[in-house]
Amino acid sequence: MNKLKNIPLQTKILGLISTLILLIIILLASIFAYLQSVDTRNHVKQLALQSAKSISLMPELRDAIEQKDIETHFRPIAEQVKDQVHAANIIIENREGIIYSHTNPSLVGQKSLDNTSYQTLVFGGSNNFELQREEGAVLIGKVPIMADYGEYTQVIGTVSVEFLERDIYESIYQRVKIIIIASLIVLLLGITGGIFLTKSIRKDTLGLEPHEIAALYRERSAILLSVKEGIIAIDENGFLTLINHSAKSMLNLNEKDFIGQHIQHVLQDINIEDALQTGKTAHNVEVLINDKMFIFNIIPIIESGNVTGVVSSFRDKTELKKLMNTITEVRDYSDGLRAQTHEYTNKLYLLSGLLQLERYQDAFELIQKESITHQQQNDILFNQIHDANVQAILLGKLGKASEKKIRLEIDAESYVDPLPSHIEVTDIITIIGNLLDNAFDAVAEQNEKKVTFSIMGLGNDIIIEVMDSGKGISDDLLASLFTLGYSSKGENRGYGLFNVNRIVESLGGTIEVSNEPNGGSIFTVYLPKKVFG
């Protein structure tokens, strides 16, 4: 089966064309040969009868019969007629079946050996017969010779015109041979046309064989399914020719087949038709669609100097921001560890100095204080919080808080088991990371720089709470707090809380914001442990 798949397209097309033309030639030649055979035999039968009738009506024949000298007076005429109609023999017999004239002179005067003359002599009719002779099958046309005696007419003999069937078939063969020659010419023309056709097809398919095209199509489908970026393509008239699954998912399109529809009917906010007119490439174009910001790369397809279509790839900017947040968290974790290392190095220097000064009590109290603080944090972090990702995030934030001289406390009542599988690591990084970063920013200018973190996994929800000692959030800003682009920190910000809110909603949870009576704000996130619907 694999060998058949690897047969070149040119061989397949030439084989198919040659086979079809050959079958048609054989079929037409067979039909023609059959029709020619039937038509020629009917023609020869009529010719035999017509020739025999013409001879029987000749006055020279009657004169020769009356003079009883047919061989001398009439045989030359019979030979002339025979040559004209290409007959094999012309035989003249009397009423008794005695041969008056024959191609073979030795048979003249002898009685005819066949009994085909009886019907003609008795009824005076013209008939065709087929007989087998030594020289082969013979087709005979026999007519009576009538003598007019005034008051009556009498049959005085018969005229037979004979044709050999092999001569008939030779005539048919000559006609069929012409058809065969013409058919071979048609076959050669068909093969030549097939060669040009296959070359044209190979040019259109860039020299690829069908199995190679099929393999490329399967690979393309697999690539489009695996690519996380959205990909759409339009032809030179603006009609969609491709839209992958990621594009449908990001643009909230249903499973309806949009192929063949105009791009403006499907996505009115995307203006990629300009590339059809200008032929210019566009990179990192931001487009707001359904309250989401996307980054588009638009590439025109240019063939022979003409724009024949446009391909566009795009990604959700919030997804990019989410990825950047993840990277930032890893970097912050690293920076936090470096800061802790630096801080503890200084404390070790202090401890070393106290020991050298023999201030053992002060050294002991310093060790005791640091031990109690870290023992409490570690007990909560490692004995009550059993999710490794949450532990890693909090370790990084503890280092960052230490560097910024912020007191980050983990609620002693915090307790959570490993998070459900539907809550991905990037989701929890975005939620906890952004809430703590906002809290750090809120207390950066305060005298008391305190942030409290709590996570609870009891019941049906996972509850995450971040409380800060900042100024709080004014009522007029609460409504736009989770809007894309909103930020009190300057331009090109405002993705953090927007991403948090979007992820919480995608997980089926809720987020609440409130202010403390004495200042500061509280962010509370509720994430269901099970996915419904």
Side-chain angles (χ1 to χ4, degrees):
M1 190 68 181
N2 291 330
K3 292 182 178 180
L4 292 177
K5 291 173 65 176
N6 294 327
I7 295 176
L9 177 64
Q10 185 173 7
T11 303
K12 290 181 180 179
I13 293 178
L14 288 179
L16 178 62
I17 291 176
S18 301
T19 302
L20 287 176
I21 294 177
L22 192 59
L23 288 175
I24 292 172
I25 288 173
I26 293 173
L27 180 62
L28 292 179
S30 300
I31 294 173
F32 178 79
Y34 172 76
L35 294 177
Q36 281 292 314
S37 175
V38 174
D39 184 63
T40 302
R41 286 178 65 85
N42 291 333
H43 175 71
V44 169
K45 286 180 180 180
Q46 293 177 3
L47 180 60
L49 289 177
Q50 290 295 333
S51 300
K53 286 180 181 179
S54 298
I55 293 172
S56 68
L57 296 176
M58 288 183 179
E60 292 86 349
L61 177 60
R62 292 191 181 87
D63 293 341
I65 292 174
E66 290 177 359
Q67 295 176 12
K68 297 182 180 180
D69 191 7
I70 295 177
E71 280 297 306
T72 302
H73 293 86
F74 190 74
R75 189 65 203 173
I77 299 175
E79 289 295 328
Q80 184 179 3
V81 174
K82 186 189 77 167
D83 293 338
Q84 289 176 348
V85 298
H86 304 291
N89 196 5
I90 295 178
I91 303 172
I92 300 174
E93 303 172 2
N94 65 7
R95 285 182 58 83
E96 287 76 25
I98 303 300
I99 298 174
Y100 279 172
S101 177
H102 198 284
T103 304
N104 187 357
S106 63
L107 297 178
V108 175
Q110 297 185 20
K111 188 173 180 62
S112 177
L113 297 178
D114 62 67
N115 57 355
T116 58
S117 300
Y118 174 77
Q119 190 173 5
T120 303
L121 292 171
V122 174
F123 298 103
S126 301
N127 298 286
N128 287 111
F129 303 95
E130 292 186 25
L131 297 176
Q132 287 292 332
R133 300 273 175 81
E134 292 180 1
E135 60 272 20
V138 179
L139 195 150
I140 303 171
K142 189 180 288 284
V143 299
I145 302 172
M146 307 295 294
D148 187 2
Y149 295 104
E151 295 180 357
Y152 66 93
T153 58
Q154 183 180 9
V155 178
I156 61 174
T158 61
V159 177
S160 301
V161 178
E162 299 181 350
F163 289 86
L164 291 175
E165 286 197 354
R166 67 167 178 262
D167 294 336
I168 298 173
Y169 291 132
E170 178 66 23
S171 175
I172 296 172
Y173 171 72
Q174 293 298 328
R175 297 183 184 181
V176 172
K177 185 167 69 173
I178 296 173
I179 295 298
I180 292 174
I181 294 173
S183 300
L184 291 176
I185 294 174
V186 173
L187 178 61
L188 292 175
L189 291 175
I191 294 174
T192 304
I195 293 173
F196 283 107
L197 175 62
T198 53
K199 287 184 177 180
S200 176
I201 293 175
R202 285 182 63 84
K203 182 180 178 182
D204 293 338
T205 58
L206 303 178
L208 297 175
E209 297 294 339
H211 65 276
E212 294 174 326
I213 296 174
L216 286 176
Y217 179 81
R218 289 191 293 269
E219 291 171 3
R220 189 199 76 156
S221 299
I223 291 171
L224 290 176
L225 285 174
S226 63
V227 169
K228 295 299 183 182
E229 287 190 346
I231 299 176
I232 58 177
I234 62 173
D235 61 16
E236 56 188 355
N237 297 315
F239 292 97
L240 274 170
T241 58
L242 183 148
I243 179 167
N244 69 342
H245 180 75
S246 297
K248 290 183 179 180
S249 177
M250 284 190 282
L251 298 174
N252 294 327
L253 300 175
N254 54 31
E255 294 300 321
K256 180 181 177 181
D257 188 8
F258 294 98
I259 302 300
Q261 297 189 33
H262 199 276
I263 185 67
Q264 291 300 323
H265 295 160
V266 181
L267 299 169
Q268 298 179 356
D269 298 320
I270 303 176
N271 189 18
I272 65 176
E273 288 186 283
D274 288 345
L276 291 175
Q277 307 297 329
T278 62
K280 294 182 179 179
T281 300
H283 293 289
N284 301 325
V285 178
E286 295 189 5
V287 180
L288 183 64
I289 303 175
N290 299 330
D291 295 328
K292 292 183 181 180
M293 186 65 72
F294 295 93
I295 299 176
F296 276 79
N297 291 306
I298 303 171
I299 311 294
I301 303 171
I302 300 177
E303 184 177 346
S304 300
N306 298 320
V307 180
T308 59
V310 175
V311 175
S312 177
S313 63
F314 60 94
R315 292 206 62 174
D316 189 347
K317 188 173 181 179
T318 54
E319 291 291 332
L320 293 176
K321 188 68 176 177
K322 179 178 174 182
L323 180 60
M324 292 172 62
N325 288 339
T326 303
I327 297 173
T328 301
E329 291 298 327
V330 174
R331 187 183 62 215
D332 290 346
Y333 177 57
S334 176
D335 293 341
L337 290 177
R338 282 198 298 270
Q340 283 185 332
T341 301
H342 181 71
E343 183 178 355
Y344 277 101
T345 299
N346 292 332
K347 290 180 180 179
L348 286 174
Y349 286 142
L350 174 61
L351 183 61
S352 176
L354 291 174
L355 293 175
Q356 290 178 15
L357 295 173
E358 298 182 356
R359 295 175 62 178
Y360 302 117
Q361 183 63 33
D362 292 338
F364 178 76
E365 290 178 357
L366 176 64
I367 294 172
Q368 192 75 10
K369 179 180 178 181
E370 291 294 325
S371 175
I372 292 172
T373 301
H374 285 280
Q375 185 64 39
Q376 290 176 346
Q377 287 185 345
N378 289 340
D379 285 343
I380 299 171
L381 193 61
F382 297 106
N383 296 330
Q384 296 176 216
I385 299 175
H386 299 133
D387 187 89
N389 295 322
V390 177
Q391 291 174 355
I393 296 169
L394 292 177
L395 279 173
K397 294 302 179 183
L398 283 168
K400 185 175 182 179
S402 176
E403 183 181 9
K404 293 185 174 184
K405 306 303 180 183
I406 297 173
R407 182 156 54 97
L408 173 59
E409 293 184 356
I410 302 175
D411 191 347
E413 300 297 325
S414 294
Y415 182 88
V416 69
D417 291 321
L419 299 181
S421 59
H422 73 278
I423 302 177
E424 298 182 1
V425 60
T426 53
D427 296 335
I428 200 66
I429 286 174
T430 300
I431 294 172
I432 296 178
N434 279 288
L435 291 180
L436 286 176
D437 284 344
N438 283 346
F440 291 166
D441 291 337
V443 300
E445 305 297 332
Q446 301 298 311
N447 293 327
E448 183 186 11
K449 301 177 180 180
K450 179 182 178 182
V451 175
T452 304
F453 175 84
S454 172
I455 183 169
M456 296 294 296
L458 302 177
N460 296 324
D461 294 326
I462 296 170
I463 304 172
I464 300 171
E465 187 173 82
V466 176
M467 181 172 61
D468 63 67
S469 60
K471 297 179 180 180
I473 303 171
S474 61
D475 294 338
D476 58 333
L477 295 179
L478 283 175
S480 57
L481 194 61
F482 299 106
T483 303
L484 178 63
Y486 166 78
S487 177
S488 60
K489 306 168 189 176
E491 296 181 358
N492 298 321
R493 305 292 295 271
Y495 288 97
L497 290 178
F498 171 78
N499 285 337
V500 171
N501 184 58
R502 187 172 60 84
I503 291 173
V504 169
E505 288 181 350
S506 68
L507 295 174
T510 57
I511 183 169
E512 296 178 356
V513 184
S514 61
N515 288 319
E516 283 277 32
N518 299 325
S521 58
I522 303 175
F523 286 79
T524 308
V525 175
Y526 300 89
L527 299 177
K529 293 182 178 180
K530 295 182 180 180
V531 180
F532 298 95

